[in-house]
Coordinates of all heavy atoms in Angstrom, one line a residue:
R5 N 97.8 119.9 -51.5 CA 96.6 119.4 -50.9 C 96.6 117.9 -50.9 O 96.2 117.3 -49.9 CB 95.3 120.0 -51.6 CG 95.1 121.5 -51.4 CD 93.7 121.9 -51.9 NE 93.7 123.3 -52.1 CZ 93.9 124.0 -53.2 NH1 94.2 123.3 -54.3 NH2 93.9 125.3 -53.3
A6 N 97.0 117.3 -52.0 CA 97.1 115.9 -52.0 C 98.1 115.3 -51.0 O 97.9 114.3 -50.4 CB 97.5 115.4 -53.5
A7 N 99.2 116.1 -50.9 CA 100.3 115.7 -49.9 C 99.7 115.7 -48.5 O 100.0 114.8 -47.6 CB 101.5 116.5 -50.0
L8 N 98.9 116.8 -48.2 CA 98.4 116.9 -46.8 C 97.3 115.8 -46.6 O 97.3 115.3 -45.5 CB 97.7 118.3 -46.7 CG 98.7 119.5 -46.7 CD1 97.9 120.8 -46.8 CD2 99.6 119.4 -45.4
E9 N 96.5 115.5 -47.6 CA 95.6 114.4 -47.4 C 96.3 113.1 -47.2 O 95.8 112.2 -46.4 CB 94.6 114.4 -48.6 CG 93.5 113.3 -48.5 CD 92.6 113.5 -47.3 OE1 92.4 114.7 -46.9 OE2 92.1 112.5 -46.8
A10 N 97.3 112.8 -48.0 CA 98.1 111.6 -47.8 C 98.7 111.5 -46.4 O 98.8 110.4 -45.8 CB 99.2 111.5 -48.9
A11 N 99.2 112.6 -45.9 CA 99.7 112.6 -44.5 C 98.8 112.1 -43.5 O 99.2 111.4 -42.6 CB 100.2 114.1 -44.2
R12 N 97.5 112.3 -43.7 CA 96.5 111.9 -42.7 C 96.3 110.4 -42.8 O 95.7 109.8 -41.9 CB 95.2 112.6 -43.0 CG 95.2 114.1 -42.7 CD 93.8 114.7 -42.9 NE 93.9 116.2 -42.6 CZ 94.1 117.1 -43.6 NH1 94.3 116.7 -44.8 NH2 94.2 118.4 -43.2
R13 N 96.9 109.7 -43.8 CA 96.9 108.3 -43.8 C 97.9 107.6 -42.9 O 98.0 106.4 -42.7 CB 97.1 107.8 -45.2 CG 96.0 108.2 -46.2 CD 96.4 108.1 -47.6 NE 96.4 106.7 -48.0 CZ 95.4 106.1 -48.7 NH1 94.3 106.8 -48.9 NH2 95.4 104.9 -49.0
G14 N 98.8 108.5 -42.3 CA 99.8 108.0 -41.4 C 99.2 107.9 -40.0 O 98.0 108.0 -39.8
I15 N 100.0 107.7 -39.0 CA 99.6 107.6 -37.6 C 100.4 108.6 -36.8 O 101.6 108.9 -37.1 CB 99.7 106.2 -37.0 CG1 101.2 105.7 -37.1 CG2 98.8 105.3 -37.7 CD1 101.4 104.4 -36.4
R16 N 99.8 109.2 -35.8 CA 100.5 110.2 -35.0 C 101.4 109.5 -34.0 O 101.1 108.4 -33.6 CB 99.5 111.1 -34.3 CG 98.6 112.0 -35.2 CD 98.1 113.2 -34.5 NE 97.3 114.0 -35.4 CZ 97.7 114.8 -36.4 NH1 99.0 115.0 -36.5 NH2 96.9 115.4 -37.2
G17 N 102.4 110.3 -33.5 CA 103.3 109.7 -32.5 C 104.5 110.5 -32.4 O 104.5 111.8 -32.6
A18 N 105.6 109.8 -32.3 CA 106.9 110.5 -32.1 C 107.4 111.2 -33.4 O 108.1 112.2 -33.3 CB 108.0 109.5 -31.7
N19 N 106.9 110.8 -34.5 CA 107.2 111.5 -35.8 C 105.9 112.2 -36.3 O 104.8 111.8 -36.0 CB 107.6 110.4 -36.8 CG 109.0 109.8 -36.5 OD1 109.5 110.1 -35.5 ND2 109.5 109.1 -37.4
P20 N 106.1 113.3 -37.1 CA 105.0 114.0 -37.7 C 104.4 113.1 -38.8 O 105.0 112.2 -39.3 CB 105.6 115.2 -38.3 CG 107.0 114.8 -38.6 CD 107.4 113.8 -37.5
V21 N 103.1 113.4 -39.1 CA 102.5 112.8 -40.3 C 102.8 113.7 -41.5 O 102.7 114.9 -41.4 CB 100.9 112.7 -40.1 CG1 100.6 111.7 -39.0 CG2 100.3 114.1 -39.8
V22 N 103.3 113.0 -42.5 CA 103.9 113.7 -43.7 C 103.4 113.0 -44.9 O 103.3 111.8 -45.0 CB 105.4 113.7 -43.6 CG1 106.0 114.5 -44.8 CG2 105.9 114.3 -42.3
G23 N 103.1 113.9 -46.0 CA 102.8 113.4 -47.3 C 103.7 114.0 -48.3 O 104.2 115.1 -48.1
A24 N 103.9 113.3 -49.4 CA 104.7 113.8 -50.5 C 104.1 113.4 -51.9 O 103.5 112.3 -52.0 CB 106.2 113.2 -50.4
V25 N 104.3 114.3 -52.8 CA 103.7 114.1 -54.2 C 104.8 114.4 -55.2 O 105.6 115.4 -55.0 CB 102.5 115.1 -54.4 CG1 102.2 115.2 -55.9 CG2 101.3 114.7 -53.6
I26 N 104.9 113.6 -56.2 CA 105.8 113.9 -57.3 C 104.9 114.4 -58.5 O 104.0 113.8 -58.9 CB 106.5 112.6 -57.8 CG1 107.4 112.1 -56.7 CG2 107.3 112.9 -59.1 CD1 108.2 110.8 -57.0
L27 N 105.2 115.6 -58.9 CA 104.4 116.4 -59.8 C 105.2 116.5 -61.1 O 106.4 116.9 -61.1 CB 104.1 117.8 -59.2 CG 103.2 118.7 -60.0 CD1 101.8 118.2 -60.0 CD2 103.3 120.1 -59.4
S28 N 104.5 116.3 -62.3 CA 105.2 116.4 -63.6 C 105.3 117.9 -64.0 O 104.6 118.7 -63.4 CB 104.4 115.6 -64.6 OG 103.2 116.3 -65.0
A29 N 106.1 118.1 -65.0 CA 106.2 119.5 -65.5 C 104.9 120.0 -66.1 O 104.7 121.2 -66.1 CB 107.3 119.5 -66.6
A30 N 104.1 119.1 -66.5 CA 102.8 119.5 -67.1 C 101.7 119.7 -66.0 O 100.6 120.0 -66.3 CB 102.3 118.4 -68.1
G31 N 102.1 119.5 -64.7 CA 101.1 119.7 -63.6 C 100.3 118.5 -63.3 O 99.3 118.6 -62.6
E32 N 100.8 117.3 -63.7 CA 100.1 116.0 -63.4 C 100.7 115.4 -62.1 O 101.9 115.3 -62.0 CB 100.2 115.1 -64.5 CG 99.5 113.7 -64.3 CD 99.8 112.7 -65.4 OE1 100.6 113.1 -66.4 OE2 99.3 111.6 -65.3
I33 N 99.8 115.0 -61.2 CA 100.2 114.2 -60.0 C 100.6 112.8 -60.5 O 99.7 112.1 -60.9 CB 99.2 114.3 -58.9 CG1 99.0 115.7 -58.4 CG2 99.5 113.3 -57.8 CD1 97.9 115.8 -57.3
L34 N 101.9 112.5 -60.3 CA 102.4 111.2 -60.8 C 102.3 110.1 -59.7 O 101.9 109.0 -59.9 CB 103.8 111.3 -61.3 CG 104.0 112.3 -62.5 CD1 105.5 112.4 -62.8 CD2 103.2 111.8 -63.7
H35 N 102.8 110.5 -58.5 CA 102.9 109.5 -57.4 C 102.6 110.3 -56.1 O 103.1 111.4 -55.9 CB 104.2 108.8 -57.3 CG 104.6 108.1 -58.6 ND1 103.9 106.9 -59.0 CD2 105.4 108.4 -59.6 CE1 104.4 106.5 -60.1 NE2 105.3 107.4 -60.6
V36 N 102.0 109.6 -55.1 CA 101.7 110.1 -53.8 C 102.2 109.2 -52.7 O 101.8 108.0 -52.7 CB 100.2 110.4 -53.6 CG1 99.9 111.0 -52.2 CG2 99.6 111.3 -54.7
G37 N 103.0 109.6 -51.8 CA 103.6 108.8 -50.7 C 103.2 109.4 -49.4 O 102.9 110.6 -49.3
H38 N 103.3 108.6 -48.4 CA 103.1 109.1 -47.0 C 103.9 108.3 -46.0 O 104.3 107.1 -46.3 CB 101.6 109.1 -46.6 CG 101.0 107.7 -46.4 ND1 100.7 106.9 -47.5 CD2 100.7 107.1 -45.3 CE1 100.2 105.8 -47.0 NE2 100.2 105.9 -45.7
H39 N 104.1 108.9 -44.8 CA 104.8 108.2 -43.8 C 103.9 107.4 -42.9 O 102.8 107.9 -42.5 CB 105.6 109.3 -42.9 CG 106.4 108.7 -41.8 ND1 107.3 107.7 -42.0 CD2 106.6 109.1 -40.5 CE1 107.9 107.4 -40.9 NE2 107.5 108.3 -40.0
R40 N 104.3 106.2 -42.5 CA 103.4 105.3 -41.8 C 103.8 105.1 -40.3 O 103.2 104.2 -39.7 CB 103.3 104.0 -42.5 CG 102.6 104.1 -43.9 CD 102.9 102.8 -44.7 NE 102.1 102.8 -46.0 CZ 102.6 103.4 -47.1 NH1 103.7 104.0 -47.1 NH2 101.8 103.3 -48.2
G41 N 104.7 105.9 -39.8 CA 105.0 105.8 -38.4 C 106.5 105.5 -38.2 O 107.3 105.2 -39.2
A42 N 107.0 105.7 -37.0 CA 108.4 105.5 -36.7 C 109.0 104.3 -37.2 O 108.4 103.2 -37.1 CB 108.6 105.6 -35.2
G43 N 110.2 104.4 -37.9 CA 110.9 103.2 -38.4 C 110.5 102.8 -39.8 O 111.1 102.0 -40.4

């Protein structure tokens, strides 16, 4: 869900909007990234 919400911080266009999360073994969200557009 955090990845999907992060994806919406990108912009639509030739590439999809994408979000990514790094999750710890204990289930803690460590880092959240997203794509900001082509290039």
Side-chain angles (χ1 to χ4, degrees):
R5 292 189 197 94
L8 292 170
E9 183 59 30
R12 295 183 179 92
R13 298 164 75 94
I15 58 173
R16 295 205 183 278
N19 291 8
V21 292
V22 182
V25 167
I26 297 177
L27 186 68
S28 76
E32 178 187 2
I33 292 177
L34 301 175
H35 303 287
V36 181
H38 71 283
H39 184 46
R40 295 167 173 83

